[in-house]
Amino acid sequence: MIQEVPNTVIQDEYYAAVDLGSNSFHMVIVRVLSGSVQIVSKNKRKVRLAAGLDDNLKLSEESIQRGLDCLKTFREQLDDIPRSNIKVVATATLRIASNASDFVTRAEQLLNQKINVISGEEEARQIYLGVAYTSANQGNTMVVDIGGASTEVIIGRDMQPLHLKSVDMGCVTFMERYFVNGVINQENFERALAAAEEMLAPLASTFKCFDWQQCLGASGTPQAVVSILVKKGINDAIRLDYLYQLRDQAITCKHIDNLHIEGLADSRRLIFPSGLAILIALFKQLNLNNMQISGGALREGIIYGMLDNYQRADRRTQGINQLVSRFHIDTGQSERVRKVAIALSRQMCEQSNFCDFDTEALISSAAALHELGLHIGYKKFHEHGAYILTHVELTGFTTLQRMFIRDLVGMHRQEIDLAVFDNYQADFKEMLINALRIVRISVILCTRRRDDKIPKPTLTVSGHEWILHFGEGVLSSYPLVHAELVHETWLQHKSGWSLVCE
């Protein structure tokens, strides 16, 4: 079985994190049970605190009251949680507001809880930790979070932020400044973009010096962009050409009231153009090729920061183990197929350019979860597994990676649906094809469901032409496996791939 995560946290307790952001106030409540963290409640309210700042950086009484009204609704749930298990933080707007103490004092009295107004650097650190806890990363990772009044950019490795910066620009403040009265036109967008690029320019060279393997966007505007892409049937990372298409679409609408893009939530519509301008500036100034979506951000960083030593747990292992246990997967078969898939994956990656640093992790995870759908029933259990993975949390993986694992599980047996690959860009498509071939072959090799009855071939890869070398007489000793491989050879041939078993 996959190595268990040590139980290093207090069992069966509730924790809450409250984030008083410049655009929205968020509250997340989790239950900690037997070493696993389960989200039981999320509450989000659009307060738009930053919109209440005047030219002298003074918060209006109206905006203060909006915030207090929101906290009254949060208070009811917080009363049921031990005060020591609650942490409330405030970010950019309350950092810069000249009368921030007016709000903080009244809010603390209302909640009966200390409010920590954190610095931009501390906010960036907590955001990075939230991303690292929920989207396990390998190698150097850049994390970007566009907030209501500030934008955080961080480079880190595993759980350690290495270099971080908070910039005083956000989707609410830019909306108020550059898209006055909701007008969207080429001039307004260019002014917002130029301002964002100017603010990013001084820090760009330092960040570009780091050699990072992936870039993750934390919620907000990046999540809105991905929601739009998914609605279009595009399973891909965020890319600059997609952002330019959305910019042109927004400008065509001319006014925020006419901005109706399929997949864009109404709650996000007002600040989408300003957030989009900032995101484009980040891509241009930092030379980003693509950006994936993380599984968490500031709230998750606060929560996990309260849980002693939880950071030492392998988040991906924990996520896989939770699903194996929850859906009663045969742990022996899960581990059996996972090991075979890893061995074949390493052979494939040595001989091709189809792999990146996460390929093995994605293949092994799909292999471990391939029987997930048996919880529903045997007939079409591969499709059941894909359905489950569409709707459950999978700790430690980005949104795109979860889609990738879902599609591997959904196609690990029977006919291969080539249309699924059309939803991916060319580089991801090639990796998915080869990952799928590995998982399908691994499942067949473990047909006997016994550790001592697994033939172990050597794999030769030349593009889409694959040869499995078993050695003389080996396959005749495994007639059932041999028959399944013959059928698999035909199915892969129908898909345009060559598989030879000898």
Side-chain angles (χ1 to χ4, degrees), residues 375-435:
H375 184 78
I376 297 176
Y378 178 77
K379 188 176 182 180
K380 296 185 177 181
F381 76 83
H382 52 299
E383 295 180 10
H384 299 328
Y387 174 83
I388 291 171
L389 287 170
T390 301
H391 297 284
V392 299
E393 292 290 330
L394 187 52
T395 303
F397 297 92
T398 67
T399 300
L400 183 59
Q401 289 168 341
R402 291 197 296 270
M403 292 177 182
F404 198 96
I405 294 171
R406 175 203 65 196
D407 289 338
L408 289 180
V409 170
M411 294 191 293
H412 85 267
R413 62 192 287 268
Q414 297 188 1
E415 295 283 339
I416 300 168
D417 184 3
L418 293 175
V420 172
F421 301 108
D422 294 336
N423 296 327
Y424 291 86
Q425 285 286 104
D427 49 353
F428 287 112
K429 177 179 178 178
E430 285 299 315
M431 190 168 72
L432 179 61
I433 289 172
N434 289 279

Side-chain angles (χ1 to χ4, degrees), residues 59 115 213 287 353 445:
L59 276 173
I115 294 177
Q213 282 69 49
N287 292 342
N353 297 319
L445 295 179

Side-chain angles (χ1 to χ4, degrees), residues 324-368:
V324 168
S325 174
R326 177 180 174 185
F327 292 96
H328 310 292
I329 297 175
D330 181 337
T331 55
Q333 183 69 354
S334 172
E335 181 66 1
R336 203 172 287 122
V337 175
R338 189 184 75 88
K339 287 181 177 179
V340 172
I342 288 174
L344 290 175
S345 173
R346 290 175 180 174
Q347 293 183 56
M348 183 265 290
C349 290
E350 288 174 358
Q351 303 172 62
S352 70
N353 297 319
F354 298 134
C355 303
D356 66 17
F357 63 94
D358 256 336
T359 300
E360 183 178 309
L362 298 177
I363 289 174
S364 66
S365 299

Side-chain angles (χ1 to χ4, degrees), residues 35-144:
S36 67
V37 179
Q38 179 186 55
I39 296 175
V40 297
S41 177
K42 280 188 173 182
N43 210 317
K44 175 183 177 181
R45 293 285 186 273
K46 291 288 182 185
V47 175
R48 293 184 54 236
L49 202 63
L53 289 170
D54 64 17
D55 293 340
N56 296 316
L57 299 181
K58 182 178 180 180
L59 276 173
S60 67
E61 179 59 30
E62 181 184 3
S63 63
I64 289 176
Q65 195 58 53
R66 286 199 304 269
L68 295 175
D69 290 343
C70 171
L71 294 183
K72 287 177 184 177
T73 66
F74 287 2
R75 169 69 187 266
E76 186 174 359
Q77 281 187 289
L78 293 175
D79 281 345
D80 300 326
I81 298 173
R83 290 187 62 197
S84 60
N85 291 5
I86 300 172
K87 190 168 184 180
V88 185
V89 302
T91 57
T93 296
L94 291 174
R95 280 199 297 268
I96 63 175
S98 59
N99 60 335
S101 60
D102 292 348
F103 174 85
V104 171
T105 300
R106 293 157 68 179
E108 287 181 337
Q109 291 173 349
L110 190 156
L111 293 176
N112 191 28
Q113 189 76 29
K114 172 69 175 176
I115 294 177
N116 301 290
V117 181
I118 59 177
S119 67
E121 288 71 21
E122 177 61 16
E123 182 180 359
R125 189 183 74 84
Q126 292 283 357
I127 288 168
Y128 179 82
L129 293 178
V131 171
Y133 286 128
T134 55
S135 305
N137 46 61
Q138 300 179 28
N140 290 344
T141 298
M142 174 178 285
V143 173
V144 173

Side-chain angles (χ1 to χ4, degrees), residues 268-312:
R268 198 79 204 170
R269 183 164 50 89
L270 184 64
I271 54 174
F272 184 69
S274 52
L276 184 61
I278 293 172
L279 187 56
I280 291 174
L282 286 160
F283 264 74
K284 293 177 66 177
Q285 285 294 312
L286 301 178
N287 292 342
L288 303 181
N289 294 318
N290 62 72
M291 175 187 291
Q292 296 190 45
I293 297 299
S294 70
L298 180 58
R299 276 82 64 195
E300 289 74 16
I302 297 167
I303 285 286
Y304 290 110
M306 289 189 281
L307 306 181
D308 292 340
N309 299 322
Y310 194 84
Q311 64 269 26
R312 287 197 281 271

Side-chain angles (χ1 to χ4, degrees), residues 411 413-419 421 436-437 440 488 491-493 495 497:
M411 294 191 293
R413 62 192 287 268
Q414 297 188 1
E415 295 283 339
I416 300 168
D417 184 3
L418 293 175
F421 301 108
L436 177 64
R437 299 181 75 181
R440 290 176 68 95
E488 179 64 16
L491 292 177
Q492 294 204 17
H493 170 74
S495 299
W497 317 322

